[in-house]
Amino acid sequence: MSEIESVLKETRVFPPPPGFSELARIGSEEEYHDLYRQSIEEPDLFWGRVARELPWIEDFHTVLDWSDKPFARWFLGGKLNASAICLDQHLTNGRADKTAIRWEGEPGDLQTFTYAELHQSVCRFANALKARGVKKGDRVAIYMPMIPELTMAVLACARIGAAHSVVFGGFSAQALRDRIEDGGCTAVITADGGWRRGKVLELKKEVDAGIEGLDDVHTVMVVQRTENEVAWRDGRDVWYHEAIEGVSDECAPEPMDSEDLLFLLYTSGSTGKPKGIVHTTGGYMVGAYLSSRYVFDLREDDVYWCTADVGWITGHSYIVYGPLANGATIVMYEGAPTTPHPGRFWELCEKHGVTVFYTAPTAIRTFMRLGEEHPARHDLSSLRLLGTVGEAINPEAWMWYRRVIGGDRCPIVDTWWQTETGGIMLTPLPGVTPTKPGSATWPFFGVDVAILDENGVEEGPNQGGLLCIRKPWPSMLRGIWGDEQRFKDVYWSDVEGCYFAGDGARRDEDGYFWIMGRVDDVINVSGHRLSTMEVESALVSHEKVCESAVVARPDEITGQAICAFITVGQEVEVDDSLRTELAEHVAKEIGKLARPSEMRFTDALPKTRSGKIMRRLLRDVAAGIESAGDTSTIEDYSVLAKLRGHED
Ligand code: WT7
């Protein structure tokens, strides 16, 4: 792993627009460097000050205890409540009548909530849960569409000290069941259905199937959204609108210890069952609050839209907790990005006057493919800042995002982080960092990051290695639910004393970080280690290619050979001359070494429901073997069947 060869060269640099820096919360490199230095050298001072910007019920006496490595504890002795931080403080700081949520359903229905209204709804929700016997220390599964009640459910759990375990509404009954069982959830909050691509996603039905025989689940609370028929079990099932009838709209927030569990969120590893990532209250809230404030440069009049689903960590940290802790106005949208038309996202930006927009590279590449005419139909001049998260963004997509969506005027923050890190770790600060397309640039405050080899030795400039974090940070995971050993093995055993969660990266001569993909996505061709991401990036930079996934296939001569799965534009002819053209293009971009030995053209790539390409499956397809591993998260099985050469 020590020498992943880096071949991607990117020389464009975009300083923040001067007007932007002048108004930004942090507006100069000097200020960033001073704060960063303090956050690393005097963490108690830095984090103590930041944490006290939030309202605590009881002040903490110790910022960090790192004596029981790898288990860090933050803000010891402190008591707080995450829902009070997101809501109650704004009732008395002038934001009571400010809009908290602007929500739009897929069919176009609208709802808005001020902070006062959201507070009231959350209190009633919390009281309804209490009335059903849900209490501090319980775990509650939430399986819902992107409707306001999802955000309310999350905050209602936090308010009464019950931990939430949000399961993305696109997961199957079986995936839901596994998570409910593993987390020991005793209640489920769901909806009759939700709108997705013009159809009703029948969530209650999935819940019924998923919890069949799980006697520990005493309550299923159901929000009415789509009014489709649902089966009902008396005693267990309760309508949300009935449960909140007549309950008080006051509910005192439960004082939580800083290290009390706030939520579990499941994420898949390369093998085995999903891991319940543990996040606790104090550190997580401080991290979400601070990163939202500075990365998205949140100002009082911003309209902030993160297009993720609350079912992912991005939604937890950057739809719910971070922005609301800052008193921001957020946009929430229920449906698919292209329903009912390919310009839906841009229509929403225009209609709601979105100023800060945060989305995923996979979405951006989809929009590139759909064509510029769709964003061109909408006035996007309200936008001032763009962000991306979830995977590396190839420079071509970055440039398109900047030009077509950002009008060459908005800085782009490419944010690297993970479910485990709780908050953004590598990112530009929009008023400070000169950005390079494809680089997540610099560490955020308190993040002591380095590129190391297996022995913990730091790699030199442009040498690929393991992306490691050497010091604890407030929003870090506190463990894997119920499996201490796995926590140590997965995250703390590759490099002595460091957190490592699987990404390879390099740092260039200017100190910029470039994520090279997961280390198991590394290809070794004739003794040369190549990042699959860089080969993909080269392919996608060809005008005829829309998306590509590159994996290794065993090869007798070269050790591993490069197999590329490629989707091309609708009008492009797939023939031998295209193959030659693309091979030459990769040779030109990277070198002959990186030319794929096999190219498979396909209409679509197999993806998880969060949009990540399932390379593990593609590796099996490339090697000609049937996948034995877990495919429960794949979005569209027919894609896989087609790639294997037989239709389902
Ligand atoms: C993995 C974490 C963090 C919220 C969404 C995903 C990849 C994430 C970037 C980025 C390159 C990225 C990494 C990471 N990743 N952001 N800006 N550049 N890669 O959360 O499901 O926990 O996945 O996503 O490989 O390890 P997640």
Side-chain angles (χ1 to χ4, degrees), residues 313-314 389-392 414-420 503 515 518 612:
I313 190 69
T314 307
V389 61
E391 55 182 317
D414 172 358
T415 62
W416 175 85
W417 58 296
Q418 307 172 306
T419 304
E420 292 88 340
D503 283 341
I515 309 297
R518 308 286 300 177
K612 279 199 206 333

Side-chain angles (χ1 to χ4, degrees), residues 468-540:
C468 296
I469 321 287
R470 294 181 289 203
K471 285 202 177 81
W473 64 100
S475 64
M476 70 195 288
L477 78 166
R478 300 301 195 267
I480 295 175
W481 183 251
D483 201 341
E484 206 173 296
Q485 194 54 47
R486 193 173 176 201
F487 172 61
K488 292 177 180 165
D489 292 346
V490 173
Y491 301 110
W492 301 92
S493 63
D494 291 270
V495 183
E496 177 79 32
C498 287
Y499 168 86
F500 171 65
D503 283 341
R506 70 182 163 98
R507 194 171 198 177
D508 71 16
E509 57 284 354
D510 302 324
Y512 281 61
F513 286 90
W514 298 78
I515 309 297
M516 298 167 75
R518 308 286 300 177
V519 290
D520 50 8
D521 291 338
V522 163
I523 302 186
N524 189 321
V525 186
S526 309
H528 294 272
R529 291 183 172 194
L530 293 169
S531 151
T532 53
M533 196 280 290
E534 292 184 310
V535 182
E536 287 164 10
S537 195
L539 281 166
V540 175

